[in-house]
Amino acid sequence: MDARNHEQLGARAEFYLCVARAFLVPREEAMFHAMREVLADELGELAAQLGLDIDAPLQRLREEMQLTSDPAALLQIYSAIFLAPPVPARINVGMYIDGAMNGGSVKAMEEAYSLCGVERDAGFHDLSDHLSVQLEFVALLYARLAACFAGQAGAEPLPVDPGLFLHQHARRWLRPLCADLARAGAERELEANPYHPLALILSEAVARDAVAPEVDAKAARTRNAIEQARAKYAGRGITDEDMVEIKRKLEERGLSTDHLSVPIDERDGAMGLGKKSTPGLR
């Protein structure tokens, strides 16, 4: 565990926490000044440390914040994009995955939070798929890893990998979010839209940090064998010799072969299944 790994992980934690805070409702005047005067510089320093190429969206973020006249204007922009129905973009980004509020992805996020002993603050009145909640959780995961690499006494990794969490969730909602934010400015005739370049900056980090789960080699070989068999039989059909071989392999595994004697086009009926018609409107 060397100092370089510790510093990189710590920078990742700071980066995701910084972006998470920037996507919260800008109720306080101090948040407006932080986003206008500090945010771009801080993200630029972290990006340089992490090797992220965000110069273009970072410049756009600076420009959009300079076009935002005052704290009230920033709050109006945020509300027009994320709060005032019909919203042009979703801050509860599970909608982009599930197509509905509080869907399966939200439950998966909550399970990850619970596994790490994390609960939403009582003062935060929103769902678990809020963009800022997810990014603060990722920041926590990286911060704990940084503590481990720094050799802090008693520090152990949390049981959720930040790269895997980003792959399972953020990677899936970022593209549609960015697309909606790109359209939001024109749709709502906003004086500025700093949230679109901010999302593009986040996209660069997630593209680099998201880690796909390791594929089980045996399962992958099985799937490949199945796909090869399908392609083989689809091309030439199943012969009598094939049926003998299929029956032999099923019997070797102690599996039933009774269904093989029933013609394929009659098997649904033999199993008590039948085609259903789509019910009409009542």
Side-chain angles (χ1 to χ4, degrees):
M1 296 184 182
D2 57 47
R4 182 184 58 190
N5 287 332
H6 158 238
E7 292 168 359
Q8 287 280 310
L9 292 166
R12 281 182 170 88
E14 290 182 39
F15 179 92
Y16 285 103
L17 185 59
C18 190
V19 177
R21 299 285 171 81
F23 271 106
L24 290 172
V25 182
R27 292 191 177 93
E28 306 295 331
E29 183 175 343
M31 186 167 180
F32 166 75
H33 290 295
M35 289 187 64
R36 187 169 187 175
E37 299 160 15
V38 179
L39 179 61
D41 288 342
E42 189 167 338
L43 288 174
E45 291 177 7
L46 291 168
Q49 186 174 349
L50 296 171
L52 291 174
D53 181 11
I54 61 169
D55 288 349
L58 200 62
Q59 179 59 29
R60 276 197 55 203
L61 176 61
R62 296 181 194 277
E63 294 169 355
E64 295 295 331
M65 281 307 305
Q66 289 303 312
L67 291 172
T68 307
S69 53
D70 54 43
L74 182 60
L75 180 57
Q76 290 172 356
I77 290 168
Y78 187 97
S79 299
I81 295 174
F82 296 117
L83 303 180
V87 295
R90 302 281 183 172
I91 198 68
N92 291 103
V93 287
M95 278 286 297
Y96 291 115
I97 301 175
D98 303 317
M101 293 291 287
N102 216 10
S105 70
V106 183
K107 300 294 186 287
M109 293 172 201
E110 290 175 340
E111 289 175 3
Y113 303 155
S114 178
L115 194 61
C116 296
V118 173
E119 295 181 355
R120 292 198 314 275
D121 187 278
F124 186 79
H125 304 294
D126 212 312
L127 298 176
S128 300
D129 63 335
H130 190 288
L131 186 155
S132 295
V133 173
Q134 293 182 57
L135 297 187
E136 284 204 23
F137 179 62
V138 171
L140 171 67
L141 298 176
Y142 276 124
R144 179 64 67 86
L145 285 174
C148 295
F149 272 67
Q152 292 185 14
E156 295 182 359
L158 291 170
V160 174
D161 180 78
L164 182 57
F165 185 88
L166 289 170
H167 176 84
Q168 292 172 332
H169 302 292
R171 183 187 60 85
R172 299 169 66 192
W173 50 253
L174 258 171
R175 181 175 293 180
L177 174 65
C178 287
D180 282 351
L181 286 172
R183 293 188 292 265
E187 288 181 6
R188 291 300 174 95
E189 299 181 348
L190 303 175
E191 67 178 53
N193 181 6
Y195 296 101
H196 181 224
L198 189 60
L200 294 176
I201 289 169
L202 176 61
S203 294
E204 287 295 322
V206 171
R208 196 274 311 275
D209 294 336
V211 178
E214 293 184 4
V215 178
D216 183 278
K218 183 177 180 180
R221 287 195 298 270
T222 300
R223 286 196 298 272
N224 289 338
I226 291 172
E227 293 302 323
Q228 290 171 10
R230 284 176 176 166
K232 173 183 176 182
Y233 293 130
R236 63 172 175 79
I238 300 177
T239 65
D240 290 340
E241 291 78 10
D242 292 330
M243 293 300 295
V244 170
E245 180 67 10
I246 291 170
K247 183 176 181 180
R248 182 184 66 77
K249 290 184 176 180
L250 289 173
E251 289 174 341
E252 286 178 353
R253 291 164 175 76
L255 301 174
S256 173
T257 61
D258 293 344
H259 63 287
L260 297 179
S261 61
V262 181
I264 292 176
D265 58 358
E266 298 178 13
R267 285 181 190 166
D268 283 349
M271 296 173 65
L273 303 174
K275 293 182 179 179
K276 305 294 183 182
S277 58
T278 304
L281 297 175
R282 295 184 179 181

